[in-house]
Amino acid sequence: MRVMLALLLCLLPPAVIAQGFPSKPLRLVLRSPPGGTDDLLGRLIAQKMPDFLGQQVVVDYRTGAGGLVAWQYVTQAPPDGYTMLLAASGLGAIRTLRPDATIDPWRDFAWLSQVVNYQLIVLVHPSLPAQNLKQLIAMAKAKPGQLSYGSSGIGATPHLAGEYLKAMAKIDITHVPYKGAGPMYIDLLGGRLEMGMAVVGSAVPHIKAKRLRALGVSGSKRVAQIPDVPTIAEAGVSGYELDAYYALLAPGKTPRDIVNRLADATAKVVASPEYRTRVIESGMEPVANTPEQMLQVARKDGEKIEKIVRTANIHVGAQ
């Protein structure tokens, strides 16, 4: 009887299956541990999405290998809409960043919608003498290889931003990868790490509390929540520009009707006053789009990151 029921379900059109979706809690997979921007956004989405789907969303931390553990987990999950992934820009360039990875970002994922646009930021511990980016670059040139910067992991967007800065400024600073922004902040705030590259959203509270000093943001314009912090280009590295995004994804063969259902729920989350207020306060821009628009954004951004990887000569190995 069970076999017959399974066969009947296979014969049903996707639209019929999607009518009953979702009928149980969903899982939102994060690549980083608690304490960073992934965690902030993941929890906001998980708290608000049940209002529009009628089911609980459980946050599932799958950390390690610079995000590869989470990405592989989602590609192997059943394509039934009950597993989603919060991903950052770098996933679109995975084949350039991680030639050893078997993941294809266009084949193995269904791109649902953006949830934010964001920038990266150069942070230093207050004990470091550099008061601005030009002074930091001068220090790095005077002491090649002696300064260190941390990021949330190898191949993560903050790592790309840091290596791009090194290439553009022609400096030698050692990269220290962490398993998420949370652990990186522990060392940076404690003074055990001199410099960090991070997502603006997780950095704003530390900057306003003067626990960390911000030297520059990565995008084409300043961030409204920290208007005194110049762009990296303004601060002395002409031509530097890197904007990024977070998006929700599902396994690649998820039925189109379910993809549209999840994208619609995501758009409602992003439009909600609670989500928008918290995201804007954190220095990010709430953004939602259709699956078709999201795929175009991801492909275009992936091409840009591939150029950055070649410019900075970034080599990403296993973490």
Side-chain angles (χ1 to χ4, degrees):
M1 180 64 71
R2 289 179 181 175
V3 173
M4 290 178 65
L5 286 172
L7 289 172
L8 286 171
L9 285 172
C10 290
L11 294 173
L12 288 174
V16 174
I17 297 174
Q19 285 176 4
F21 174 85
S23 60
K24 61 181 181 180
L26 293 82
R27 186 179 306 275
L28 176 57
V29 177
L30 305 188
R31 60 178 180 166
S32 298
T37 303
D38 292 64
D39 186 44
L40 166 67
L41 291 173
R43 288 185 177 278
L44 284 173
I45 293 165
Q47 289 167 7
K48 196 63 185 172
M49 193 168 275
D51 293 351
F52 309 111
L53 288 179
Q55 291 289 340
Q56 181 184 10
V57 177
V58 178
V59 175
D60 185 359
Y61 301 94
R62 299 275 171 172
T63 64
L68 195 58
V69 171
W71 302 334
Q72 289 181 333
Y73 177 81
V74 173
T75 63
Q76 295 165 5
D80 54 10
Y82 289 96
T83 302
M84 296 182 292
L85 171 71
L86 179 65
S89 305
L91 182 55
I94 182 64
R95 288 183 291 187
T96 299
L97 283 167
R98 301 288 295 264
D100 58 319
T102 58
I103 292 173
D104 184 314
W106 320 124
R107 178 196 66 205
D108 296 332
F109 295 102
W111 295 76
L112 305 176
S113 173
Q114 282 179 259
V115 292
V116 294
N117 283 331
Y118 68 94
Q119 294 191 44
L120 294 307
I121 191 165
V122 183
L123 300 168
V124 296
H125 189 267
S127 63
L128 198 71
Q131 299 297 312
N132 54 54
L133 191 59
K134 286 185 177 179
Q135 291 180 8
L136 178 70
I137 291 171
M139 286 181 62
K141 289 184 175 180
K143 300 178 180 180
Q146 294 184 39
L147 295 179
S148 299
Y149 83 93
S151 80
S152 55
I154 295 175
T157 314
H159 175 215
L160 302 180
E163 295 301 303
Y164 191 36
L165 175 61
K166 287 167 55 177
M168 294 283 286
K170 296 180 173 58
I171 53 176
D172 180 11
I173 299 178
T174 303
H175 176 230
V176 181
Y178 287 81
K179 292 184 177 179
M184 188 273 289
Y185 274 118
I186 291 173
D187 279 359
L188 185 58
L189 291 165
R192 293 178 292 276
L193 182 68
E194 299 150 313
M195 173 183 169
M197 291 294 300
V199 174
V200 168
S202 60
V204 169
H206 302 304
I207 297 165
K208 290 188 173 181
K210 300 188 184 302
R211 292 188 291 264
L212 296 174
R213 184 183 304 129
L215 304 186
V217 294
S218 68
S220 58
K221 59 184 179 181
R222 298 191 183 196
V223 175
Q225 286 66 32
I226 43 173
D228 293 337
V229 180
T231 67
I232 292 174
E234 289 175 329
V237 185
S238 179
Y240 187 104
E241 183 181 329
L242 177 60
D243 292 291
Y245 65 81
Y246 274 94
L248 287 186
L249 286 69
K253 294 184 179 179
T254 303
R256 173 53 57 175
D257 282 19
I258 291 179
V259 166
N260 290 339
R261 178 91 166 87
L262 292 172
D264 180 66
T266 303
K268 291 175 180 176
V269 169
V270 172
S272 68
E274 301 94 328
Y275 181 88
R276 293 184 62 82
T277 298
R278 186 70 182 91
V279 163
I280 292 171
E281 287 176 349
S282 297
M284 296 179 285
E285 178 188 4
V287 176
N289 46 26
T290 66
E292 293 76 17
Q293 292 168 337
M294 178 68 252
L295 185 58
Q296 290 179 1
V297 169
R299 286 187 180 277
K300 183 177 179 180
D301 194 77
E303 292 173 359
K304 181 176 181 179
I305 291 176
E306 287 173 353
K307 290 180 181 178
I308 289 173
V309 170
R310 290 192 291 270
T311 299
N313 196 28
I314 298 173
H315 299 285
V316 179
Q319 184 180 3

